[in-house]
């Protein structure tokens, strides 16, 4: 049995860092584990321009504790009004690596998102032309659609037609949660990929209801049936370069989660690589973790592989019951419970 595991330092291709005191609270968890992360732009107001992305990136770097290194890769927030010129500026600037498509109303801070995909065609055409990836929150927003079917319906109604229209578009189906999503990505060319979270690999929808309603297991897209979890595990551990790590670690204050209308989002950055090690070990596929966590994402984005390494040990540790989060508290995944792997500090 392997008791330690040394990997090329991993990257997190989907991360929410927030801003201000919350950013300062969560950033060290990611920087301790990941060399780079694709930073989501769903702030209030969202990060819509290269200028705003430059300013946000500066705030992230300013919040980084001395002695830590971390490269925030920025994603712009796509709106009905994103111009082809802004996409060209993004491509040229060197620190914006993608554009994020939130269907308006799909999730946290998505009100500025795309109201109808046709409205974003000029920007999407520019992305295809410039080779800049479009990262998609793939959920239908039609209130008639069952919450558990939103990904599959979005693929049929929006994503498949979009790829027909823009066949060379680099597209990442973010936080894929269903067998239909996996099949869609597998059927696409090398320009189509997906990120997979640790929580969708480790839990099915029963986790939200075990012994009572459990808000800290609520995220969007919502956890799905066991058969879908199994399809995700199969894809993540398959060695296919189309699937790579994106934690979607999404911190919200305890008070915003434990209330009548709780926010969607699961905080996992405190065990951002360790939880994946658990999921891969459970599938007897620890040998496939490095490709998924450290190699395939960088290759998709055309970025160099990290040269440093990270070592994990199979040593159980207890996750704190709560973490600081500016003025509030943050309840991390597995609060008060154990995680089976830990990182060894370099
Ligand atoms: O659960 C989620 N939380 N899903 C999202 O798409 C957004 C995220 C957030 O920003 O909190
Ligand atoms: Zn997200």
């Amino acid at each position: 049995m392997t008791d330690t595991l040394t990997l090329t330092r991993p990257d997190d291709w989907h991360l929410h860092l927030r801003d201000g005191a919350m950013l300062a609270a969560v950033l060290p968890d990611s920087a301790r584990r990941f060399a780079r992360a694709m930073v989501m732009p769903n702030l209030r107001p969202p990060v819509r321009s290269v200028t705003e992305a430059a300013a946000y990136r500066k705030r992230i770097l300013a919040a980084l504790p001395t002695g830590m290194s971390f490269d925030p890769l920025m994603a712009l927030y796509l709106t009905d009004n994103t111009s082809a010129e802004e996409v060209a500026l993004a491509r040229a600037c060197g620190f914006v690596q993608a554009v994020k498509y939130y269907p308006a109303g799909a999730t946290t801070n998505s009100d500025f998102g795309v109201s109808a995909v046709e409205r974003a065609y000029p920007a999407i055409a520019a992305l295809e032309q410039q080779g800049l990836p479009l990262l998609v929150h793939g959920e239908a927003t039609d209130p008639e659609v069952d919450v558990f079917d939103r990904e599959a319906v979005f693929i049929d109604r929006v994503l498949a037609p979009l790829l027909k229209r823009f066949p060379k578009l680099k597209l990442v189906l973010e936080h894929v949660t269903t067998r239909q999503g996996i099949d869609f990505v597998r059927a696409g060319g090398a320009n189509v990929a997906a990120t997979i979270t640790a929580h969708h690999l480790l839990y099915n929808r029963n986790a939200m209801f075990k012994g009572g309603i459990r808000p800290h297991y609520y995220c969007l897209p919502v956890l799905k049936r066991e058969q879908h979890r199994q399809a995700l595990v199969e894809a993540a551990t398959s060695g296919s370069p189309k699937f790579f790590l994106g934690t979607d670690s999404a911190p919200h204050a305890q008070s915003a989660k434990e209330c009548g209308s709780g926010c969607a989002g699961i905080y996992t950055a405190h065990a951002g690589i360790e939880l994946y090690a658990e999921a891969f070990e459970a599938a007897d596929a620890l040998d496939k973790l490095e490709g998924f966590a450290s190699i395939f994402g960088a290759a998709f984005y055309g970025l160099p592989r990290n040269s440093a390494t990270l070592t994990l040990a199979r040593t159980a540790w207890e996750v704190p019951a709560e973490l600081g989060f500016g003025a509030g508290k943050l309840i991390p995944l597995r609060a008060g419970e154990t995680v089976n792997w830990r990182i060894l500090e370099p």
Side-chain angles (χ1 to χ4, degrees):
M1 267 219 164
T2 330
D3 286 316
T4 64
L5 187 61
T6 298
L7 306 172
T8 300
R9 200 164 183 84
D11 299 309
D12 182 351
W13 297 101
H14 186 125
L15 177 64
H16 297 272
L17 283 175
R18 313 303 189 206
D19 215 341
M22 294 181 281
L23 162 65
V26 298
L27 179 61
D29 280 346
S30 292
R32 214 167 274 138
R33 293 163 176 82
F34 299 103
R36 299 172 284 204
M38 185 65 70
V39 181
M40 290 299 118
N42 63 334
L43 303 181
R44 237 183 267 233
V47 179
R48 284 166 287 186
S49 67
V50 173
T51 311
E52 287 162 349
Y56 184 30
R57 185 166 189 275
K58 225 169 143 184
R59 297 199 294 282
I60 296 167
L61 291 173
L64 194 65
T66 332
M68 278 190 148
S69 72
F70 181 68
D71 186 6
L73 310 174
M74 308 311 286
L76 293 191
Y77 188 111
L78 184 70
T79 73
D80 290 355
N81 303 314
T82 305
S83 65
E85 291 73 35
E86 198 66 43
V87 171
L89 285 175
R91 170 89 284 183
C93 78
F95 55 85
V96 173
Q97 298 293 349
V99 170
K100 178 72 189 273
Y101 169 10
Y102 290 103
T107 188
T108 311
N109 296 348
S110 63
D111 338 343
F112 290 85
V114 175
S115 64
V117 68
E118 303 75 37
R119 302 222 164 103
Y121 279 173
I124 296 174
L127 289 170
E128 183 185 42
Q129 202 205 340
Q130 305 268 351
L132 200 61
L134 180 69
L135 314 184
V136 182
H137 183 109
E139 288 198 286
T141 50
D142 177 349
E144 301 291 307
V145 177
D146 188 282
V147 67
F148 293 102
D149 297 335
R150 285 183 186 166
E151 185 171 288
V153 170
F154 187 82
I155 289 168
D156 288 347
R157 289 189 191 167
V158 180
L159 271 195
L162 188 69
L163 260 189
K164 279 223 171 77
R165 189 178 185 100
F166 302 105
K168 298 213 171 76
L169 179 67
K170 277 187 136 183
L171 185 148
V172 185
L173 178 54
E174 296 293 325
H175 40 54
V176 60
T177 60
T178 58
R179 177 172 292 285
Q180 291 92 328
I182 297 292
D183 290 347
F184 170 78
V185 170
R186 281 211 174 106
N191 55 319
V192 181
T195 53
I196 306 182
T197 78
H199 44 281
H200 289 101
L201 290 175
L202 289 166
Y203 298 99
N204 65 35
R205 65 193 194 177
N206 287 354
M208 286 184 294
F209 307 107
K210 199 173 157 199
I213 188 98
R214 303 259 198 154
H216 300 293
Y217 289 91
Y218 172 57
C219 62
L220 287 172
V222 73
L223 295 172
K224 302 295 193 303
R225 283 182 180 277
E226 176 61 12
Q227 63 171 95
H228 295 294
R229 189 193 70 81
Q230 284 175 13
L232 303 184
V233 170
E234 221 174 86
T237 60
S238 68
S240 163
K242 289 163 132 333
F243 301 101
F244 43 85
L245 186 156
T247 63
D248 197 14
S249 178
H252 290 277
Q254 181 177 20
S255 56
K257 296 279 298 170
E258 299 176 11
C259 60
S261 178
C263 290
I266 299 180
Y267 186 69
T268 54
H270 63 294
I273 186 70
E274 299 91 321
L275 291 165
Y276 284 100
E278 270 194 19
F280 276 64
E281 183 172 37
D284 200 16
L286 275 175
D287 59 320
K288 296 293 199 306
L289 182 60
E290 185 177 40
F292 177 82
S294 315
I295 294 169
F296 302 152
F300 181 84
Y301 281 96
L303 294 169
R305 203 176 281 187
N306 297 316
S307 48
T309 59
L310 181 73
T311 300
L312 292 151
R314 190 193 292 91
T315 313
W317 57 285
E318 189 171 321
V319 175
E322 56 183 42
L323 303 171
F325 191 51
K329 296 268 185 250
L330 177 59
I331 308 298
L333 188 71
R334 295 271 174 91
E337 298 171 33
T338 55
V339 169
N340 293 337
W341 287 83
R342 78 178 310 152
I343 52 164
L344 300 181
E345 300 287 342

